[in-house]
Amino acid sequence: MRFSTEKPVALPDSAGAGNISIGGLQHPLPIALHRGTAYIARPDSMEIASGVRKADPVLIAPKHKPLTTMNDLGAMVGSNPARRPVIAKHEDKTFALSSLIAQVPGSGTTKGHHEVELLVADTDRAAKAWSTRIPLRELEYALDVDEKDTEVVGLYGDTVVLFAQGRLFGVDVNSHQKVWTAPGTYAAGAVLAAGKLVALRDDADGDRQPVGLDPADGHQEWAIDDLAADTLAAASPGTVLVGGYLTSNDDTKAGAVLLEAATNKRLETYDGEFKVDGCDYDGRATTICTGADSIVAYNTQTGSTRWKLPAGNRVAPEVTLVRAGLVYGTTENGPVVLDSTTGADKEDQPGIAPYFSDGYVGIALTESDHTVSAYRIEH
């Protein structure tokens, strides 16, 4: 719960490029941590940097020319399409996985095309383990999908689930080959939960429908017809929150549902505007949802409310991270750490309010110049 503010280790510029303005962090940073090492997704590569000591970073580059490079980002906030890598264990190995879109040049009468490249780093060596490339057909402009959009959803069993340009793919971690393509087009932000790949698929009416797919082969196992979905978030290892518009008896209203991912059973329904993409699971038994100057904590098993802020003379902090039963954030009094189950203050002098932490370091912006930096945890 405490971080040393002495001698922070600055991460490479790629950690904050296109996501930080003069006012601070504006978009999620494309960073994952494992044992004090930062794995940074860039639109043109993956960068590996120590968060414990100053050292030259390692760069894992793709085979073909990336669609976007770091030089293309400029100073525009929101210009970085890179999404946070995934740290995942397979057998006795732990990997960091990220993806990017590249341009394959044409040859002779053959047209050039885009491809998505999956970059995989071995965390024991902090070096490239393997990569694989999947050709992409001409982009179907489904709703708000962009040609630069790609992210690793996660690893389930032997299958890496990969999103690119509105498509979902499965890659076998042993053969390094694509083994399935899910039919239809999808929004970014799919979730692996309870052995299912939960995603928002575009339908013929221009809406998005929540579906549950088998991550082993991509086939559909369930779908929800009466929910036009806008947002999706993991609520626990076995549940997801879906926000949008619920339809019943010719009546359509804004709301959200807490679903059992394995069966699509509805555990709870919430009326009104509900910021599902502002919800995070604490790794224990609570889902924390943030709104405009407010926090609501839900029991992940029942969907019932545990606590809310503001309440009485207590304000809601601006949440930066939910992890391991704790809620990190800031108020006008500085950084603070809350107990995610009760909402009580647990530490009012944590040093920083981290955006990421792995039990070794926390990642935050320096106050002086907003450099993305790693701060050691105090024991």
Side-chain angles (χ1 to χ4, degrees):
M1 289 185 289
R2 289 187 176 184
F3 301 84
S4 172
T5 55
E6 299 294 324
K7 299 180 179 179
V9 176
L11 296 184
D13 291 344
S14 59
N19 292 315
I20 298 172
S21 73
I22 193 171
L25 182 65
Q26 300 298 313
H27 297 273
L29 298 174
I31 299 172
L33 289 173
H34 183 68
R35 295 184 177 179
T37 298
Y39 295 83
I40 306 165
R42 299 169 38 138
D44 54 11
S45 58
M46 185 199 299
E47 197 161 9
I48 306 172
S50 174
V52 178
R53 62 185 64 85
K54 291 183 179 180
D56 292 334
V58 174
L59 203 66
I60 300 177
K63 178 178 177 60
H64 290 115
K65 181 181 178 181
L67 205 59
T68 305
T69 69
M70 294 299 296
N71 291 335
D72 296 331
L73 302 184
M76 183 180 298
V77 176
S79 59
N80 191 345
R83 295 295 175 262
R84 185 184 182 187
V86 168
I87 305 295
K89 189 169 184 178
H90 182 260
E91 297 177 349
D92 60 344
K93 292 282 190 180
T94 301
F95 297 113
L97 308 100
S98 70
S99 60
L100 56 82
I101 305 294
Q103 175 70 50
V104 180
S107 176
T109 59
T110 303
K111 293 172 59 177
H113 63 274
H114 290 169
E115 68 179 9
V116 57
E117 182 161 353
L118 173 65
L119 301 174
V120 182
D122 182 335
T123 61
D124 286 339
R125 298 183 296 113
K128 182 177 180 179
W130 53 273
S131 66
T132 194
R133 304 184 307 279
I134 300 172
L136 299 171
R137 67 193 196 192
E138 290 191 16
L139 181 64
E140 296 181 28
Y141 285 91
L143 299 184
D144 57 355
V145 171
D146 186 89
E147 65 178 3
K148 303 171 187 175
D149 288 347
T150 181
E151 64 184 5
V152 177
V153 178
L155 173 63
Y156 178 78
D158 291 335
T159 307
V160 178
V161 179
L162 182 62
F163 169 87
Q165 292 187 352
R167 294 284 181 178
L168 287 170
F169 305 99
V171 175
D172 186 272
V173 76
N174 298 307
S175 68
H176 309 164
Q177 299 298 310
K178 184 190 76 170
V179 290
W180 56 259
T181 303
T185 56
Y186 300 81
V191 171
L192 284 167
K196 295 293 181 290
L197 170 60
V198 183
L200 304 184
R201 186 174 62 204
D202 301 320
D203 64 22
D205 297 324
D207 293 321
R208 281 178 170 147
Q209 175 188 48
V211 295
L213 309 178
D214 185 337
D217 59 17
H219 84 267
Q220 179 181 311
E221 297 206 339
W222 56 258
I224 298 178
D225 297 324
D226 62 346
L227 175 56
D230 293 329
T231 51
L232 169 67
S236 77
T239 58
V240 295
L241 276 164
V242 183
Y245 292 87
L246 302 165
T247 302
S248 61
N249 300 323
D250 297 324
D251 180 34
T252 300
K253 59 183 179 181
V257 292
L258 178 66
L259 297 177
E260 197 173 71
T263 64
N264 86 345
K265 176 183 177 183
R266 299 189 186 196
L267 302 177
E268 187 64 82
T269 300
Y270 307 94
D271 293 331
E273 296 292 337
F274 193 100
K275 195 173 181 291
V276 166
D277 51 357
C279 296
D280 288 293
Y281 173 56
D282 76 336
R284 302 287 171 81
T286 305
T287 301
I288 303 296
C289 296
T290 58
D293 301 319
S294 67
I295 301 175
V296 183
Y298 297 95
N299 183 311
T300 57
Q301 300 301 314
T302 66
S304 60
T305 301
R306 289 193 187 276
W307 53 270
K308 297 180 179 180
L309 284 177
N313 67 343
R314 300 182 67 214
V315 299
E318 182 178 344
V319 174
T320 57
L321 174 66
V322 176
R323 177 185 180 272
L326 300 172
V327 180
Y328 301 85
T330 59
T331 71
E332 62 182 12
N333 302 317
V336 66
V337 184
L338 310 183
D339 184 297
S340 62
T341 304
T342 66
D345 290 12
K346 291 206 72 171
E347 176 59 62
D348 60 7
Q349 296 291 325
I352 61 167
Y355 294 102
F356 307 102
S357 182
D358 64 348
Y360 293 80
V361 299
I363 302 298
L365 308 183
T366 58
E367 290 186 7
S368 58
D369 58 5
H370 289 166
T371 298
V372 181
S373 300
Y375 297 78
R376 286 176 177 266
I377 285 177
E378 290 185 344
H379 297 287

